Amino acid sequence: MTASGLPQSAAPLHTGSHDLPVSAELSRFMAESWAPSALPDSARVPAHAVTPARRARLSARFPGERLIVPAGELTVRSNDCDHRFRPHSAYAWLTGLTGEDQAGGVLVMEPSGPHGHEAVLYLRPRSPRVDGDEEFYRDRRYGEFWVGRRPDLAEAERLTGIRCAHLDTLGSPTGRSIGTDPELAAALSELRLVKDAWEVEQLQLAVDHTTAGFEDVVRALPRALAHPRGERWIEGVFGLRARAEGNGTGYETIAASGAHACVLHWIRNDGRLHRDDLLLLDAGVETDSLYTADITRTLPLSGRFSPVQRQVYELVLAAQDAGIAALRPGARFRDFHRAAMAVISEGLAEWGVLKDARGDLHRRYTLCGSGHMLGLDVHDCAKARAETYLDGVLEEGQVLTVEPGLYLQPDDETLPAELRGIGVRIEDDLVVTAEGARLMSGALPRTVAGIEEWMGTLLDDRA
């Protein structure tokens, strides 16, 4: 049976309304004379060496229970066009499979022995090129000639080190499924809170590619400033780097100039750039292994901060410095946010925006938390229980962002006129170490002087 409940022979082909019918003669001809094209015997998923330990840790949490972790299904974008597929992060973490060909795949952890599990991967394998099976050249969703080659079951077993079976044989297994079982979802988030060495390497790679993307953006500023939708020019420049170096962006790029920077998740990116404004760029490259960076810089489009822009920027930078200084194993997760907000509150009081630094009135101008876990998801491990994450303590090997911001709305009459419409966020990625935390994104300058010098150098060097 297929995942839809139909036998393979009766499973409908995903064809277009404008596709021509196929004659019996053509069907026979299409099945003939294809040369072998096997994958190399040495091919392995990059995470091949680390996934067994991950599955063992999950197995230990649920002895004797069947565990079901689907990759997910394709989702229609428009009529017969699907969104680009990305497998569920837990599925990728447990199997090492990260490609678009994983749509419909399911990992089942079958109880085996008194405490352990056997992992079985149910996949849609490569279509046989035989008379009567037209999927490989007619099916727009899964056909090899339409969307690319899938491994056969033997190849998939070599790639992953996991026993593989045809998706049609899965049926409707009962057990704990990540889509319906909050306890399993929480466990899989909590198991990912501390990154192994391979994951930290992947995250550093994502950060390094993202750094290059920010450099690309600065070099492109003259073209972007001349374009009526300069924000989208910026988005496109960064997106080119993300697709060239990795799987794409880890989330929708925020390219927010002027007052748009006061909208925390501004992804319309349809505005013009003005030289006197700031550009808030929040962007991250996702590697082919699906680990993403998450970095924000707020840049003066003229290359130089005005006095009031500098005033706001340096307060946010001081808050970020305080937050970073609070990172260490054993510290409460919320400590770095509280440290950053104490600086923000005191600064707003010094400016006369707040009467004093006590209470939470500063939140009118900051709106959100000052960071989150980072990994396969940009907001990683989000299903973890509060006591293990938000109300928990930091551990060596965790990777997180520190990203305080000030969002001074253009119509906020509690603010002096010169402050209105300025939005500043500074966001960096850090890994918790035995001594404190290592700044993974330190190649991108954070200080006013550093940014101005960096921008000047890149603009002078552009070809």
Side-chain angles (χ1 to χ4, degrees), residues 31 43 73 103 221 232-233 255-256 267 327 360 370 447 455:
E73 299 286 351
L221 282 178
R232 290 204 178 165
W233 194 277
I267 60 172
L327 298 177
D360 65 352
S370 298
T447 66
M455 292 183 68

Side-chain angles (χ1 to χ4, degrees), residues 293-367:
D294 182 10
I295 299 173
T296 306
R297 288 294 183 267
T298 306
L299 309 174
L301 287 167
S302 68
R304 295 280 178 180
F305 290 90
S306 71
V308 69
Q309 290 169 349
R310 177 190 292 259
Q311 173 189 344
V312 177
Y313 187 93
E314 289 190 332
L315 177 56
V316 176
L317 179 62
Q320 192 197 34
D321 286 340
I324 291 173
L327 298 177
R328 66 183 65 86
R332 309 296 301 183
F333 172 79
R334 297 186 191 272
D335 285 353
F336 75 90
H337 170 68
R338 294 189 177 105
M341 291 303 98
V343 173
I344 292 288
S345 296
E346 292 166 3
L348 291 172
E350 290 176 6
W351 294 353
V353 171
L354 295 177
K355 292 181 180 179
D356 58 57
R358 293 173 294 179
D360 65 352
L361 298 186
H362 65 276
R363 293 180 63 182
R364 177 178 177 124
Y365 313 103
T366 61
L367 297 177

Side-chain angles (χ1 to χ4, degrees), residues 67 100 176 188 356 413 450:
L67 310 176
E100 296 177 35
R176 291 180 177 267
L188 280 163
D356 58 57
E413 293 183 344

Side-chain angles (χ1 to χ4, degrees), residues 167-225:
L167 184 61
D168 293 354
T169 67
L170 175 61
S172 301
T174 58
R176 291 180 177 267
S177 175
I178 193 170
T180 57
D181 190 305
E183 188 176 353
L184 177 59
L188 280 163
S189 276
E190 290 164 6
L191 288 170
R192 288 166 42 213
L193 278 167
V194 175
K195 272 53 181 178
D196 57 40
W198 185 84
E199 291 179 290
V200 174
E201 290 175 0
Q202 293 301 301
L203 284 161
Q204 186 63 63
L205 181 64
V207 167
D208 294 345
H209 290 324
T210 300
T211 297
F214 274 71
E215 293 171 349
D216 295 340
V217 163
V218 173
R219 293 188 184 98
L221 282 178
R223 294 286 298 275
L225 282 159

